[in-house]
C-alpha cells in the first residue's frame, strides 16, 4: 500500500539556534509539541538544507526549491510573485513590483512608510486602476495586499525589470525618481512608466474621499506609493505536469500564495488569517483537510514563528510553536496521506534574520521506514533515517513514496 496524497506543512522560520533565555534550548525544543513529536515517532525524520549547505534562503527561494523549482532557474525577484499573490494573473514578461501605501508631508517627504498601517485599501486601488492611463500601449494592474501593502504589474512590449526603487527606506526623505539601472531602452521604458504611474496615482490619492476622511480623523493619509522588488515574471512549468498531482496552497503571506499560483496551485482563501501570531490556525488546518478531499497535494504554510524570530523573541516563538502544535491535532487522523512537516529556513532569534542552518523534516504515512526519532526538533531530527537532504530532493522522495515517480532505466 502507498499513500495517495501529500500534505506539505511548512512551518515558516520554525528552527533556531540555542537561546540563553530558554536554558540553551531552541524555541522548538522548549515548546510543548505532542502532535509534531508523534509525527516524528511514527515517521521518518531528517534535516534539510532548503537550497544548499551554507546558503541563507529567503522564504521565496526556499519555497521554490522545496517545491521542486530550482531558484537559480526560476527566481526572478519578489515583485512578480507578490503581484501574483495579490491576485494579478502574471503572464511571462510582465514586470511586477511590491508596493506600500505611504504618507508624504507638505514638503513631499515620507512621514510614514506604512501610512499609519492603513488597511482596506481596495477603494484606492480601484480608483487608480480606473483613472491612471499609461503611454506607449503599456497596461497595468494595481491590487491591494495585506494591510498597507499592494502590488503593481506592468504589461507591454519591451519592458525591462532592472529599475531602482523610489522607497527612501527612512522617513524624512523625499522619494527619489525611479531610474533605469542599465542603459537598455527597455529598462528606461519601465522606469518612465513607473514615474508616470506614481505622478498620476499621487494626484488621485491626494483627492480621494477615503484619504479626506482619514485626515478628518487625524490619521495619516495614504497619499503616495513606494515601489520596490522589480522583477520580470518567468515561465513556470505547471506543478501538475511536473509532478502529476493537482494541488492547492493555503498561506497568509501573499508571497507564498503567489509562488503557489505561479506554479499552478489553487490558492484557497481562509478568513481571519494574518501571517502573524494571531492567525486563524484552526481555520487553516480545516481548509487543508477539505482540500485533501479534492486534490492530491496541499501546501500549508504557517508563518508566525518566523515573525517572532525576526523580532528576536524566543519565549513568544516557543509559545506560538506550542499553539501551532495544538492546532495540528486533526492531521494525526489523516488516512491515505503523507504528512510532511518541515521549515523553509531557520530564523534564529539571536540574529533576527534567516540563517543557513538546516531545518527539521518529518515524513509520516504509509510505506515510510520509521526510524528511532521520537521528537520533532533540530537536533532530534538530525538522527533520523533521511539524514541530511537538499530541498531539491524533497519532491522526488515524496513522489516515490506516493508511487508516482518514473523509473530511471530498465
Ligand atoms: Zn520563510
Ligand atoms: Zn522571515
Amino acid at each position: 500500500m502507498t499513500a495517495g496524497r501529500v500534505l506539505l506543512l511548512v512551518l515558516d522560520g520554525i528552527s533556531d539556534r540555542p537561546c540563553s533565555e530558554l536554558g540553551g534550548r531552541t524555541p522548538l525544543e522548549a515548546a510543548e509539541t505532542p502532535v509534531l513529536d508523534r509525527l516524528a515517532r511514527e515517521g521518518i525524520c531528517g534535516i534539510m538544507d532548503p537550497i544548499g549547505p551554507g546558503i541563507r534562503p529567503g522564504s521565496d527561494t526556499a519555497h521554490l526549491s522545496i517545491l521542486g523549482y530550482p531558484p537559480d532557474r526560476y527566481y526572478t525577484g519578489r515583485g512578480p510573485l507578490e503581484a501574483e499573490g495579490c491576485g494579478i494573473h502574471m503572464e511571462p514578461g510582465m514586470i511586477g513590483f511590491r508596493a506600500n501605501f505611504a504618507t508624504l508631508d507638505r514638503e513631499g517627504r515620507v512621514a510614514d512608510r506604512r501610512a499609519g498601517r492603513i488597511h482596506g485599501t481596495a477603494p484606492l486601488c480601484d480608483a487608480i486602476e480606473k483613472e491612471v492611463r499609461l503611454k506607449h500601449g503599456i497596461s497595468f494592474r494595481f491590487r491591494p495586499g495585506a494591510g498597507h501593502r499592494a502590488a503593481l504589474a506592468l504589461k507591454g512590449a519591451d519592458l525591462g525589470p532592472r529599475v531602482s526603487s523610489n522607497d527612501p527606506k527612512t522617513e524624512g526623505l523625499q522619494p527619489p525618481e525611479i531610474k533605469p539601472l542599465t542603459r537598455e531602452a527597455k529598462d528606461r521604458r519601465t522606469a518612465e512608466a513607473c514615474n508616470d504611474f506614481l505622478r498620476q496615482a499621487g494626484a488621485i490619492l491626494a483627492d480621494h474621499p477615503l484619504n479626506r476622511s482619514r485626515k478628518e480623523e487625524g490619521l495619516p493619509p495614504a497619499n503616495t506609493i513606494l515601489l520596490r522588488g522589480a522583477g520580470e515574471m518567468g515561465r513556470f512549468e505547471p506543478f501538475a505536469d511536473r509532478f502529476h498531482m493537482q494541488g492547492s496552497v493555503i498561506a497568509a503571506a501573499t508571497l507564498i500564495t503567489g509562488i503557489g499560483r505561479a506554479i499552478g496551485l489553487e490558492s484557497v482563501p481562509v478568513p481571519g488569517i494574518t501571517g502573524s501570531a494571531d492567525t486563524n490556525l484552526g481555520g487553516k488546518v480545516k481548509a487543508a483537510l477539505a482540500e485533501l478531499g479534492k486534490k492530491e497535494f496541499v501546501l500549508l504554510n504557517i508563518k508566525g514563528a518566523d515573525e517572532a524570530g525576526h523580532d528576536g523573541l524566543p519565549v513568544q516563538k516557543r509559545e506560538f510553536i506550542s499553539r501551532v502544535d495544538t492546532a495540528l491535532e486533526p492531521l494525526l487522523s489523516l488516512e491515505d496521506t503523507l504528512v510532511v512537516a518541515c521549515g523553509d529556513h531557520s530564523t534564529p532569534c539571536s540574529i533576527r534574520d534567516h540563517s543557513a542552518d538546516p531545518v527539521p523534516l518529518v515524513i509520516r504515512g504509509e510505506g515510510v521506514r520509521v526510524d528511532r526519532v521520537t521528537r520533532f526538533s533540530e537536533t532530534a531530527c538530525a538522527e533520523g533515517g533521511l539524514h541530511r537532504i537538499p530541498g531539491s530532493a524533497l519532491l522526488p522522495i515524496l513522489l516515490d513514496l506516493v508511487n508516482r515517480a518514473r523509473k530511471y532505466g530498465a
Side-chain angles (χ1 to χ4, degrees):
M1 274 290 286
T2 56
R5 298 169 300 191
V6 176
L7 171 64
L8 175 55
L9 168 65
V10 177
L11 300 158
D12 208 299
I14 192 172
S15 44
D16 210 297
R17 292 177 180 173
C19 298
S20 53
E21 296 92 328
L22 301 173
R25 291 171 300 170
T26 67
L28 177 57
E29 286 171 331
E32 288 282 329
T33 55
V35 176
L36 287 166
D37 293 345
R38 188 161 144 206
L39 292 177
R41 206 160 56 240
E42 297 175 357
I44 184 167
C45 296
I47 54 175
M48 177 167 74
D49 294 293
I51 299 175
I55 299 174
R56 285 177 57 208
S59 284
D60 41 16
T61 49
H63 275 77
L64 284 172
S65 181
I66 63 185
L67 288 166
Y69 292 80
D72 57 351
R73 236 186 90 200
Y74 286 96
Y75 185 63
T76 55
R78 184 162 172 175
L81 300 171
E82 288 279 359
E84 185 76 58
C86 289
I88 301 171
H89 174 58
M90 294 293 288
E91 295 161 29
M94 284 171 75
I95 310 295
F97 298 82
R98 309 169 66 192
N100 265 18
F101 282 100
T103 306
L104 291 183
D105 65 16
R106 284 169 197 282
E107 282 74 46
R109 293 174 305 216
V110 175
D112 187 333
R113 288 182 65 250
R114 300 183 182 86
R117 293 198 176 265
I118 188 173
H119 48 84
T121 62
L124 301 177
C125 297
D126 292 345
I128 287 169
E129 284 205 328
K130 202 162 139 228
E131 294 171 41
V132 171
R133 291 282 171 276
L134 300 178
K135 288 179 239 160
H136 311 300
I138 298 170
S139 61
F140 75 96
R141 297 291 321 270
F142 185 66
R143 297 314 307 153
H148 58 280
R149 300 180 195 90
L152 171 69
L154 301 177
K155 182 179 174 183
D158 292 325
L159 293 175
R162 285 171 298 269
V163 297
S164 66
S165 164
N166 72 328
D167 185 348
K169 292 277 158 57
T170 44
E171 282 151 11
L173 297 176
Q174 285 190 358
E177 287 252 294
I178 289 185
K179 295 194 183 69
L181 298 174
T182 71
R183 286 160 180 258
E184 285 183 44
K186 56 184 192 168
D187 294 325
R188 199 181 62 237
R189 266 192 292 275
T190 301
E192 280 169 8
C194 287
N195 291 322
D196 188 16
F197 169 84
L198 290 166
R199 266 189 299 274
Q200 295 184 48
I204 293 161
L205 292 171
D207 209 34
H208 195 279
L210 196 145
N211 273 330
R212 267 186 267 141
S213 62
R214 279 181 75 81
K215 277 193 248 175
E216 277 160 27
E217 290 166 51
L219 296 169
N223 57 10
T224 197
I225 296 163
L226 302 176
L227 298 177
R228 63 192 195 282
E232 179 176 343
M233 184 64 177
R235 198 175 289 280
F236 293 87
E237 186 192 353
F239 188 85
D241 295 351
R242 209 168 166 88
F243 301 113
H244 324 296
M245 297 186 279
Q246 298 291 331
S248 297
V249 55
I250 298 165
T254 47
L255 182 60
I256 307 303
T257 50
I259 288 170
R261 283 168 46 105
I263 64 173
L265 304 181
E266 185 188 343
S267 162
V268 180
V270 178
I273 64 176
T274 60
S276 300
D278 61 353
T279 196
N280 176 7
L281 290 170
K284 284 174 99 165
V285 171
K286 220 165 135 189
L289 298 185
E291 284 308 294
L292 285 167
K294 301 177 247 173
K295 306 264 176 66
E296 292 93 24
F297 179 85
V298 174
L299 166 65
L300 171 60
N301 171 288
I302 296 181
K303 182 99 181 138
D306 179 57
E307 196 177 61
H310 283 287
D311 292 341
L313 300 170
V315 173
Q316 277 83 341
K317 190 168 177 180
R318 177 192 68 193
E319 266 146 38
F320 181 72
I321 293 169
S322 298
R323 281 210 295 124
V324 170
D325 190 84
T326 308
L328 296 178
E329 158 109 62
L331 304 188
L332 293 174
S333 38
L334 269 175
E335 283 173 12
D336 188 33
T337 306
L338 288 184
V339 178
V340 186
C342 63
D344 57 338
H345 50 75
S346 302
T347 311
C349 294
S350 55
I351 62 169
R352 298 179 169 221
D353 204 345
H354 304 176
S355 72
D357 299 289
V359 300
L361 164 70
V362 57
I363 306 172
R364 179 260 217 176
E366 202 68 50
V368 304
R369 295 173 178 170
V370 178
D371 56 31
R372 292 198 196 106
V373 177
T374 58
R375 274 226 62 191
F376 185 76
S377 77
E378 297 89 340
T379 46
C381 286
E383 300 188 20
L386 286 167
H387 303 290
R388 182 169 183 163
I389 65 166
S392 59
L394 182 61
L395 251 294
I397 289 170
L398 298 178
L399 273 192
D400 179 47
L401 285 168
V402 295
N403 211 12
R404 290 169 192 266
R406 192 174 287 143
K407 185 156 74 172
Y408 178 45

